[in-house]
Amino acid sequence: MLFVSLAVVLVPAVLGAYICCPPRQWEGMEARVIGTGQKGGTLQISEAEVKVHFDATNKRMAFDEKLTIDGSTANFKIIQLWDKMTEYMIRQSGKCLRKHLTGPFPDGCIPDTATLSGPHFEGPVKNNVTYNSYRMANAAKGFTVNVDMTSDTCEPIRQETYGLIGREYSLISTRYYDIVDGIKNDTVFNVPAACNNSYFMGGPASNIGSIFG
């Protein structure tokens, strides 16, 4: 199915046990390259550009996504509202589908069980960005997450996720850029009227992507 959201946290929150947490509200871009395939099968490569609206204060997220698979491109919007425990997927045609969200709101915090590597820096010595690298392995679910966060504000720089995700082996490379604090316009979380009585897809939302969603 081409219309797939790529934006739910893979690293579960650990209440009260964090190394660092990102800003409570921010907007920015994610660029992803995703490789997926069955063992011994054909590898499928896809790309995604995602405008992210992250609001931990009100437990909601919105994503404007452009997904390209095998030369075919789809544009759609994802809205996730934890007060309703519902994800809304709005296709370019205006058609809306819903899924049930599960678990706590994904706040993007780095749990204290993560392995720290760093600090590191990038760029020239007099104008560099310092960051910490963290490794989080989920043996029960069969995947590993490596993520780089700025050392002063704990904002994301990049992430790699790899392993058995669902029924497929996957490698997801994500980089973050143009991040700004706050939410410029709350209307990005408004759910279209077409979603009010839209169809609920079977099973909970089971998407893959960034540590924020």
Side-chain angles (χ1 to χ4, degrees), residues 80-186:
Q80 296 176 337
L81 303 179
W82 258 260
D83 61 338
K84 300 181 183 299
M85 296 303 291
T86 301
E87 173 187 284
Y88 305 86
M89 182 179 71
I90 303 98
R91 297 183 179 182
Q92 196 168 0
S93 64
K95 183 177 180 180
C96 183
L97 296 172
R98 291 182 288 177
K99 272 196 169 187
H100 296 288
L101 294 169
T102 59
F105 177 80
D107 54 18
C109 295
I110 303 298
D112 67 356
T113 53
T115 301
L116 170 65
S117 170
H120 309 290
F121 72 88
E122 291 185 358
V125 174
K126 293 183 179 180
N127 188 25
N128 60 48
V129 174
T130 60
Y131 63 92
N132 291 317
S133 297
Y134 301 97
R135 176 183 176 88
M136 293 161 280
N138 191 324
K141 293 187 177 181
F143 61 80
T144 299
V145 178
N146 296 320
V147 60
D148 296 336
M149 311 287 281
T150 57
S151 56
D152 53 351
T153 57
C154 200
E155 294 179 7
I157 297 175
R158 63 184 148 261
Q159 176 185 321
E160 290 182 352
T161 303
Y162 59 90
L164 185 61
I165 301 174
R167 298 182 178 180
E168 294 184 312
Y169 291 94
S170 298
L171 171 61
I172 307 166
S173 178
T174 305
R175 63 185 179 90
Y176 301 86
Y177 58 96
D178 295 345
I179 292 179
V180 295
D181 289 342
I183 301 297
K184 185 177 180 180
N185 190 338
D186 279 351

